[in-house]
């Protein structure tokens, strides 16, 4: 692991004030607000199945969709990278409806990752 001063990959650690300002500026744009609001139905459906997304901390007071999309993306990326089911470590694991929920989450993967 690189020292924060030498890390070229994580600008949030290296330049937190600058990155916070940039994120705040992007979130405040009409375009971001419009696109994020349009994603609200997907966010609500996703939060129903991945309840950890509900009420998770959001940058700068939140967004219209109500979720942190980085957390949502991480769910799909990490499970794909480790070849584990999307329902792994969830309340659905081992339950009667696990296969159905797995299929529902799989259908949401592409829109979330897009």
């Amino acid at each position: 692991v690189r020292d924060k001063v030498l890390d070229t990959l994580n600008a949030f650690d290296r330049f937190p004030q600058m990155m916070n300002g940039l994120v705040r500026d992007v979130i405040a744009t009409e375009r971001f607000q419009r696109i994020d609001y349009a994603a609200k139905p997907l966010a609500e459906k996703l939060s129903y199945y991945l309840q950890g997304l509900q009420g998770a901390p959001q940058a700068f007071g939140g967004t219209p969709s109500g979720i942190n999309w980085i957390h949502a993306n991480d769910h799909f990326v990490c499970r794909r990278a480790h070849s584990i089911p999307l329902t792994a470590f969830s309340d659905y694991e081992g339950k009667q409806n696990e296969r159905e929920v797995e299929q529902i989450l799989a259908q949401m993967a592409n829109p979330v990752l897009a």
Side-chain angles (χ1 to χ4, degrees):
V1 176
R2 296 179 186 171
D3 185 89
K4 286 183 181 183
V5 175
L6 303 175
D7 186 3
T8 58
L9 299 177
N10 192 343
F12 284 93
D13 281 345
R14 194 158 181 206
F15 306 109
Q17 289 179 328
M18 178 187 77
M19 294 307 296
N20 284 344
L22 290 172
V23 170
R24 188 178 294 114
D25 291 348
V26 168
I27 289 173
T29 66
E30 182 275 332
R31 183 171 188 265
F32 178 91
Q33 293 290 316
R34 180 175 30 84
I35 291 169
D36 196 65
Y37 181 79
K40 191 171 183 170
L42 174 61
E44 289 172 349
K45 185 175 181 182
L46 194 59
S47 293
Y48 176 81
Y49 292 101
L50 303 175
Q51 294 181 358
L53 294 175
Q54 295 175 355
Q58 288 197 326
F60 314 106
T63 61
S65 67
I67 68 169
N68 183 318
W69 288 101
I70 293 173
H71 295 169
N73 272 273
D74 280 352
H75 179 85
F76 293 98
V77 170
C78 293
R79 279 157 179 75
R80 184 178 292 164
H82 295 283
S83 299
I84 61 173
L86 297 170
T87 53
F89 311 110
S90 75
D91 292 340
Y92 302 101
E93 189 173 29
K95 298 293 192 311
Q96 186 176 1
N97 63 345
E98 180 179 11
R99 222 162 95 169
E100 176 188 353
V101 173
E102 184 73 24
Q103 290 173 342
I104 292 168
L105 289 173
Q107 291 171 350
M108 288 191 279
N110 284 339
V112 169
L113 296 168

